[in-house]
Every structure is written in structure tokens, then in C-alpha cells.
Amino acid sequence: MRTQVVIVGAGPAGLLLSHLLGREGIDSVLLERQTAEYVQSRIRAGILEAGTVRLLREAGLGDRLAVEGMEHRGIYLQWPENRHHVDFVDLVGRSVTVYGQTEVTKDLMAAREKAGRPAYYSASDVTLHDVTGSPYVTFVDSDGAARRIDADVVVGCDGFHGPSRAAIPAPQVWERTYPFAWLGVLADVAPSADELIYAWHPDGFALHSMRSPRVSRFYLQVAPDEDVARWSDDRIWTALAERLGVAGWTLRTGPITEKSVLPMRSFVATPMRYGNLYLAGDAAHIVPPTGAKGLNLAVADVALLATALTASLKHGQDELAAQYSETALRRVWRCTHFSWWMTSMLHRHGDDFDARLQLAQLHRTVTSEAAAKELADNYAGLPL
């Protein structure tokens, strides 16, 4: 088989890239090591930046988003006896939308099937060849047959553990592992607040989020090696009530349907282009989820790359493709810094001196318009 672009990884980044290229008449083939059902069921990020929402709508993917997405003007920042609203719309004129990554993936998979774009799920032994010359990818399909696809370009949207980044010899890597993790909880209960609540507490960080008007998402700061089995439903609700509690507010409780421990780290690898191989999303970078940047950063990569590949493959103009890595990395490092800043400000670590510094930063953020604007500008999302 031959195509113009082989995309390794059929998560939201790979699916979106295939969709955007297809709208420009550029052929692509998707390869994914997991089943389609597994990809569609993965529960990940749930906050879409203003630019991400705009891109999805412009790409014809906004029908369900318009109906089911929940627009939010901002967030609450909290510490004991204090809860303050940071209104992004008032500060920078942009909002965010709660719409789960699972839903984005469903929309993209439906669009792929409608357009008839080829995809191989349950692909194993995926190997990239000759990425600096005439690239091709070999793999074993779900029926056990060995296959080869030749292409002009290969794009790795295959996450941290995929084969794409490994095809780049000696990439430069920066990594930060945080001394805490999140206990993530999904519950069948209506949200207890109109916005997300980011709470600093002496016992550790807590986050009140939501997935729909009937489903809430919560996070508690725990140790990286925390055993989920030690957290009964009663213990979880007690900890959330303590860390999120303020006078006159009540936490709604309900059946907990999912519990998991999420490690916290930052990771950036360069370059994001090597010959005719490009990296996007988690294949090149990972951020802690505190700033809601992971999915949005992958979308920004894909938007940039789709424009660059269209210029190159349709019009023979290679300038944007040549600049892709440098251009993408400027945004990657900005978002990495913002995610680090939010994480460092809100998670209990260090000694009491560190705690006082965190509280001083929180107070500054909610009392200074300049500081609040900086948070709002980054959280609501820089222009694509």
C-alpha cells in the first residue's frame, strides 16, 4: 500500500490530523496498537481551550460539542476559608468548555468512518523505516498478516511508549517527576459547583471537576505509590469534603464508578521533526494535568502540522514543515511552564516555608488583575 501520510496512533491527535488532512485532499492511513473500542473508552482530559473548540467547530466536528459541551467562564481558586472566582471572560475574553476526551474521540471516529479513511486497529510490531529518505512502516495487522505502507511522511501520534520517538537517534530529553500523584475519582453525582474548584489544603491538593450535568470528576493529592485499595468510598468523600469545604457550601456525594492513581510528571523531547518523521502530542511531550494542557497541546501540534503538511504536500512549500519543531516547541515550553506553575502552587510539598510561599502566590493571583490575567490567558489557551 502507498499513501501520502502514515499516522501512527489513532487517539484524538492522530484522528484529528487525519481529518484535517482529509479536508485538504491529502490521503492518510492510521495505525493503532489498541482496539477501536479501547481507544474510544479511554477517560482522559475534559477541558477544551477556546482555540480547541473553535478548531473543532471549523473542522465540522462541533455538532455534539455544541449540545453537550458545558462552557465555563473560569475557575475557583481556594485555600482554607477562602474561595475566589477567576473569571476568564472578564479578564481575557475567552472561556473554556467541559467536554471529555472520550467524546472528542467518538466524534473523530465517527467522522473517519463516514469519510471512509483507512485505519488498522490492533496493529502489532509497528516499525518505522528510512524516515530520512523514503519512509515506510511495517506492521502485523489484526488478522496476523504482515503489511507494509510506503508514504511521503510519517507522523508519530503514538504517545510516550510508541515506536515513533524511538526512531529518532539520540533525542534531547528534559524530564521532571513530581513527588505526588492524583487519586482520580469518577462519580455518578451532579456537580456541586458551577465551575472547577482548585483547592490548596494542608492535607494536599483537591480538584472538583465535572464530565456532564450528572457526572462529577474529583482528584486528591496522594503519594506516587498510593494503593487505590486503601481508599474506600467513605474515605474519599471524607477527604474531599475536608479539602474542598468552605462555609455555606455542601459537597454532593453519590456512587463512585472509577478510581485510579495518576502519576505527575513533565517531559519534553526534541526535535519534533527528524527527516520525514514528525512527532505530535504525548509522543513528544507530557505535562501534569493541573493546567488542563495535555489534550489541548496535542491539538495545537496537529493544527500546526496539518497546515505545514498541506503547504508541503499540496503546494511544494516546505518552509512551515522545516519550522515545525521550533514553532511547536515554543508553545510546548510555555504550556510546560504554566502546568509546572499551577502544580507547584497548589500541591502541598516541602516544609511550612514552602506552604507560606504557596499561599502568598494564591493571594497574589486572586487580588492582582495582572496576575489573574496571566493565569486566565494561559488556562483559556493561547491562540492556535
Side-chain angles (χ1 to χ4, degrees):
M1 181 185 295
R2 175 164 184 85
T3 189
Q4 290 175 283
V5 182
V6 172
I7 302 171
V8 184
L15 286 164
L16 179 59
L17 178 60
S18 178
H19 181 81
L20 295 176
L21 293 175
R23 287 169 64 88
E24 295 293 339
I26 297 172
D27 295 329
S28 64
V29 176
L30 284 155
L31 302 180
E32 170 59 48
R33 67 185 180 91
Q34 303 288 357
T35 66
E37 293 75 18
Y38 179 89
V39 172
Q40 187 168 292
S41 65
R42 282 186 294 204
I43 297 176
R44 294 290 189 270
I47 306 296
L48 303 184
E49 296 175 356
T52 298
V53 171
R54 185 179 305 111
L55 176 65
L56 293 174
R57 287 174 175 165
E58 291 174 353
L61 299 164
D63 289 349
R64 282 206 315 131
L65 173 60
V67 175
E68 300 180 21
M70 298 184 292
E71 186 176 5
H72 285 241
R73 292 182 62 96
I75 61 172
Y76 291 106
L77 286 181
Q78 178 177 313
W79 60 98
E81 300 179 8
N82 290 270
R83 179 181 291 173
H84 299 269
H85 189 236
V86 181
D87 193 306
F88 301 160
V89 177
D90 284 349
L91 290 163
V92 297
R94 301 193 302 281
S95 62
V96 296
T97 299
V98 173
Y99 190 68
Q101 177 174 314
T102 303
E103 305 310 313
V104 175
T105 302
K106 288 178 182 177
D107 295 341
L108 286 164
M109 292 180 79
R112 182 197 66 78
E113 292 172 5
K114 182 178 180 180
R117 299 186 186 98
Y120 290 89
Y121 287 91
S122 300
S124 59
D125 298 328
V126 177
T127 307
L128 284 61
H129 306 267
D130 196 18
V131 294
T132 59
S134 300
Y136 64 97
V137 178
T138 58
F139 65 100
V140 177
D141 68 19
S142 59
D143 294 324
R147 292 184 175 271
R148 166 175 168 159
I149 305 178
D150 292 84
D152 299 310
V153 167
V154 177
V155 179
C157 299
D158 47 347
F160 182 79
H161 297 290
S164 297
R165 191 177 67 255
I168 299 177
Q172 189 169 8
V173 171
W174 292 267
E175 190 164 11
R176 168 70 53 84
T177 300
Y178 296 90
F180 37 76
W182 278 5
L183 172 64
V185 175
L186 200 65
D188 286 338
V189 60
S192 302
D194 57 334
E195 306 274 35
L196 278 71
I197 305 171
Y198 285 78
W200 183 99
H201 191 274
D203 294 340
F205 169 76
L207 172 61
H208 174 293
S209 183
M210 59 281 292
R211 284 293 177 268
S212 76
R214 298 169 299 280
V215 178
S216 295
R217 185 75 163 159
F218 302 95
Y219 297 97
L220 288 164
Q221 178 184 341
V222 295
D225 58 352
E226 193 69 46
D227 182 3
V228 173
R230 297 180 60 245
W231 286 84
S232 67
D233 291 7
D234 286 344
R235 183 185 178 191
I236 288 171
W237 289 123
T238 298
L240 286 169
E242 175 65 24
R243 299 187 196 185
L244 292 169
V246 292
W249 179 81
T250 301
L251 174 68
R252 297 188 181 110
T253 63
I256 291 176
T257 59
E258 180 190 294
K259 305 174 190 177
S260 60
V261 173
L262 312 173
M264 305 280 282
R265 62 174 172 157
S266 298
F267 174 88
V268 180
T270 65
M272 291 177 63
R273 179 194 179 184
Y274 179 71
N276 291 312
L277 168 63
Y278 299 79
L279 302 181
D282 287 0
H285 45 75
I286 294 172
V287 292
T290 322
K293 293 295 123 196
L295 174 60
N296 293 291
L297 196 49
V299 169
D301 289 348
V302 165
L304 186 66
L305 186 54
T307 301
L309 292 180
T310 298
S312 177
L313 296 174
K314 282 187 68 173
H315 307 295
Q317 300 171 356
D318 296 328
E319 292 83 0
L320 293 177
Q323 298 165 4
Y324 168 70
S325 183
E326 180 182 355
T327 305
L329 283 165
R330 284 199 293 269
R331 187 187 191 96
V332 167
W333 279 114
R334 173 86 292 277
C335 292
T336 299
H337 176 270
F338 176 69
S339 299
W340 164 85
W341 177 77
M342 287 281 286
T343 301
S344 301
M345 176 174 66
L346 287 160
H347 289 76
R348 189 71 173 91
H349 63 277
D351 56 19
D352 188 57
F353 185 85
D354 294 292
R356 300 312 302 183
L357 293 177
Q358 291 174 314
L359 292 170
Q361 181 62 64
L362 283 164
H363 186 266
R364 165 71 177 173
T365 302
V366 301
T367 57
S368 163
E369 183 176 348
K373 275 188 174 181
E374 180 68 10
L375 186 156
D377 197 36
N378 283 273
Y379 196 107
L382 306 176
L384 292 177

